[in-house]
Structure formats: structure tokens, C-alpha cells
């Protein structure tokens, strides 16, 4: 059994599912060969230059440019069609060479750019291997969904309608667990999680997160959380953004209610401890908070696909969306009044690894 996973280092929302799927497959089939590859590197240097170079600068400092790029490549039909053709010319040959060299039984895409190209190649008869799209966003699924994709795995069941609107009524969609840490598949005691993190078990906890890249108005979110409740403890996660972490540590050096941290691989513990999550980039962290029962507020970086995810959060009633700093403190205060409601059904979903192996005929 050979499984080829195309991921991307553009955020943990792509890399974490790839690692977890790999581990899940090997746990079930220790004899399997699983190869996880960065999509841009497999596609070639031109694709890397166009898509990957400077991504940190664009996301962290030039949000307006990311908005414009997203509109051009995903929303405006003429430039979207042009980009499809260019990607097929520039990136698809490298991906198909990689597939041919590894000869997998199934391909899993945790990066939507890979899914778009490979699913289209499958639909056109250029690829004989089944393709799985492992989707970690709620909405904005133009690249995640495709008529040539054999299986769409989702973390939000609400995504199914958009997928079928894009890929057709016959598109196969399965809501699964196993695209994020296994720690979310078993209940974590909030009191124990707070004790492990050194937090006061009797005071509310607000977790502020900027995702893997630590982007968004983290300082504004921390200040709003402090103002929302005089007893609130605030934990700010800055991901891999060292300058943001340094700036927050300096800004709140004399505030004992604030703790600033970098990247963590124990989001299950942090979210079990949290009453409220204020998150900037949607994606997996919001889903993880919902599983744990933390109330979710999306704030600080409503750009590109995140803007469309925010609209879907509000439409489905999954999260509160706050556009600017003025209303954030009140939104946090309201969220603190709502009881925890963990998603106990998440642990009962089929595992992503089982669905992938079933498709491959294992």
C-alpha cells in the first residue's frame, strides 16, 4: 500500500492534517509506504517562486495584497481561468512526474492547489490514481472541491452543500475525525488542562491565537479580553512569529493576567482550558475549539478566503465574527456567559485514514 500526500508549508492547516493522516495510515497498515511532499517543491521552482516566496510578508504585512490576489485567482472568472491554465502548464507536469515515480495507490491533498490540478487531471483521464481532498476550511472551497476528486473529507459537515454545488450532486463527501491531533478525539478535563498550564482554575480563560504564522491584531485581542472581565486570564499564542511574540511580551510585561507563548503542539490542552477562543485565520483551530466546547470569535484578519469563512461561520451560527476592535470586548464578555457545549459527536465520526484506505482498496 502506497499513499502519496501533497501538503504545503503555508500554515499548519495543511501540514498538521498531512502528519496526522500519515500517522493514522501507518497505525493501521504498518507495512504501508507513505510519502508526504510539499506541493510547491514537487511542482518545481517556478511554482515555488510564484506561490511560496514572500508569503509570510504578504500575509503578515500586506493583507490588502492577499485580498487582491485571492479575488483575482479565486473569484474573478477571467483571471481564475487564466491561472488554471498557467498552473496546468507550470505545476502539473512536476506533480504528475512525482506521482509516476512513487506509483501510489491513492493520493491525498491537504493543500487545495494540489487538489485542483490533480483532480482536473483525473477528470481528463491523465491520472489513474484516486484523489482525496482533505478539507480543513468551512467555506471558500473553489480549489478544495472538484468533479474529478474521488472523495472529499471534511471537518465541518456544513461544507457539503458548497462542495456539491462546485463538484456536482454526486460528489462524495464524508465528515471525519483524524485531520487534526488525536488529542481531540477524547474528552480533556478543563480543570486538569488549566492545572497543566499553570492557570487559575477559578478564573475565566481567553485564548488568543494568530494561527501558525501568528498574524492578526493579537495585541488588540489581548486588550479586549482583559477589558471583558476583570478576572480573565489571557493566553496569547503567536505561532512561529517570533517578532509578534517579542512585541506582545514587551506590551504586557507588567500584566500578570497575560501569558504569551509561541507555537504549541498541545492545542488540545490549551483549548480544553479555554472558555473563549479569539482566532484570526479560521481553519482547524476554530474546529478544534468547537470540539472542546470553547466559544469561538473570529477576529483580526478577515482577508481572502478567511473573509468567506467568516461569512459562513455567521451563517451557520458556528462562531461570532467581529470585524473591528470596537465590539470585541463586548463579544468576549457575551461569550463568557454562554455555557460550554463540546461536540461529543466528533469522536464518533469515521477516521480519515480508514476512508482513505477503503478508497485505495486496502
Amino acid at each position: 500500500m502506497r499513499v502519496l500526500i501533497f501538503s504545503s508549508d503555508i500554515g499548519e492547516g495543511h501540514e498538521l492534517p498531512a502528519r496526522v493522516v500519515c500517522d493514522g495510515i501507518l497505525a493501521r497498515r504498518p507495512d504501508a509506504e507513505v510519502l508526504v511532499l510539499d506541493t510547491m517543491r514537487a511542482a518545481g521552482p517556478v511554482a515555488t517562486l510564484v506561490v511560496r516566496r514572500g508569503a509570510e510578508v504578504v500575509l503578515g504585512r500586506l493583507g490588502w495584497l492577499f485580498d487582491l490576489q485571492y479575488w483575482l485567482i479565486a473569484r474573478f472568472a477571467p483571471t481564475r481561468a487564466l491561472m488554471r491554465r498557467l498552473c496546468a502548464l507550470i505545476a502539473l507536469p512536476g506533480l504528475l512526474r512525482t506521482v509516476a515515480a512513487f506509483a501510489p495507490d491513492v493520493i491525498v491533498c491537504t493543500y487545495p492547489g494540489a487538489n485542483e490540478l490533480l483532480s482536473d487531471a483525473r477528470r481528463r483521464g491523465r491520472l489513474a490514481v484516486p484523489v482525496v481532498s482533505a478539507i480543513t476550511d468551512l467555506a471558500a472551497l473553489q480549489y478544495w472541491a472538484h468533479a474529478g476528486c474521488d472523495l472529499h473529507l471534511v471537518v465541518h459537515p456544513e461544507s457539503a452543500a458548497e462542495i456539491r454545488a462546485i463538484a456536482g450532486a454526486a460528489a462524495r463527501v464524508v465528515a471525519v475525525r483524524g485531520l487534526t491531533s488525536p488529542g481531540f478525539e477524547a474528552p480533556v478535563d478543563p480543570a486538569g488542562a488549566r492545572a497543566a498550564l499553570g492557570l487559575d482554575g477559578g478564573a475565566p480563560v481567553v485564548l488568543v491565537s494568530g494561527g501558525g504564522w501568528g498574524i492578526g491584531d493579537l495585541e488588540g485581542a489581548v486588550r479586549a479580553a482583559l477589558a471583558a472581565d476583570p478576572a480573565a486570564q489571557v493566553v496569547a499564542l503567536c505561532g512561529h512569529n517570533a517578532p509578534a511574540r517579542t512585541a506582545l511580551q514587551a506590551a504586557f510585561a507588567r500584566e500578570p493576567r497575560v501569558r504569551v507563548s509561541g507555537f504549541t503542539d498541545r492545542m488540545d490542552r490549551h483549548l480544553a482550558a479555554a472558555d473563549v477562543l479569539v482566532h484570526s485565520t479560521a481553519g482547524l483551530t476554530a474546529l478544534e475549539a468547537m470540539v472542546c466546547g470553547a466559544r469561538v470569535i473570529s477576529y483580526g484578519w478577515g482577508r481572502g478566503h478567511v473573509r468567506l469563512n467568516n461569512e459562513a461561520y455567521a451563517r451557520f451560527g458556528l462562531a461570532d465574527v467581529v470585524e473591528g476592535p470596537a465590539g470585541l470586548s463586548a463579544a468576549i464578555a457575551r461569550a463568557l456567559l454562554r455555557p460550554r457545549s463540546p461536540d461529543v459527536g466528533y469522536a464518533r465520526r469515521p477516521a480519515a485514514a480508514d476512508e482513505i484506505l477503503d478508497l485505495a482498496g486496502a
Side-chain angles (χ1 to χ4, degrees), residues 113-174:
N115 179 69
E116 165 89 349
L117 292 171
L118 293 171
S119 293
D120 191 60
R122 180 133 171 85
R123 183 178 66 85
R124 295 174 183 276
R126 299 183 63 187
L127 181 65
V129 183
V131 176
V132 179
S133 181
I135 303 170
T136 51
D137 282 339
L138 170 62
L141 306 179
Q142 294 92 340
Y143 288 90
W144 288 110
H146 198 285
C149 182
D150 297 85
L151 174 62
H152 301 84
L153 302 179
V154 298
V155 296
H156 295 286
E158 295 84 354
S159 301
E162 182 178 348
I163 291 170
R164 293 192 171 108
I166 297 169
R172 186 180 172 201
V173 184
V174 181

Side-chain angles (χ1 to χ4, degrees), residues 111-358:
Y111 176 63
N115 179 69
E116 165 89 349
L117 292 171
L118 293 171
S119 293
D120 191 60
R122 180 133 171 85
R123 183 178 66 85
R124 295 174 183 276
R126 299 183 63 187
L127 181 65
V129 183
V131 176
V132 179
S133 181
I135 303 170
T136 51
D137 282 339
L138 170 62
L141 306 179
Q142 294 92 340
Y143 288 90
W144 288 110
H146 198 285
C149 182
D150 297 85
L151 174 62
H152 301 84
L153 302 179
V154 298
V155 296
H156 295 286
E158 295 84 354
S159 301
E162 182 178 348
I163 291 170
R164 293 192 171 108
I166 297 169
R172 186 180 172 201
V173 184
V174 181
V176 294
R177 57 185 169 87
L179 293 181
T180 190
S181 168
F184 291 97
E185 296 177 20
V188 179
D189 175 46
R194 291 184 178 194
L197 294 172
L199 297 170
D200 181 353
V205 176
V206 179
L207 183 65
V208 173
S209 170
W213 283 11
I215 60 177
D217 180 19
L218 301 181
E219 181 174 343
V222 173
R223 295 193 185 281
L226 292 172
D229 189 304
Q233 307 166 90
V234 185
V235 179
L237 299 179
C238 302
H240 298 291
N241 190 335
R245 180 179 182 182
T246 300
L248 279 186
Q249 287 172 331
F252 298 101
R254 298 187 180 184
E255 177 50 78
R257 291 193 288 150
V258 176
R259 294 177 49 177
V260 180
S261 300
F263 177 81
T264 177
D265 60 0
R266 289 306 308 269
M267 284 300 291
D268 54 334
R269 179 180 292 169
H270 281 78
L271 288 168
D275 294 294
V276 175
L277 167 71
V278 181
H279 188 52
S280 61
T281 59
L284 268 179
T285 305
L287 175 278
E288 293 165 349
M290 295 170 198
V291 170
C292 292
R295 284 73 85 196
V296 181
I297 298 173
S298 184
Y299 164 79
W301 205 82
R303 304 285 191 172
H305 69 287
V306 176
R307 187 191 308 277
L308 297 180
N309 273 271
N310 283 344
E311 292 174 2
Y313 284 142
R315 184 167 67 253
F316 291 117
L318 297 177
D320 197 355
V321 178
V322 179
E323 298 291 342
L328 181 57
S329 186
I332 295 172
R334 289 194 302 270
L336 287 171
L337 295 175
R338 296 200 300 271
R340 297 181 73 93
S341 181
D343 181 1
V344 296
Y346 174 79
R348 296 195 290 266
R349 295 181 186 179
D354 287 333
E355 295 293 322
I356 292 165
L357 288 172
D358 285 348

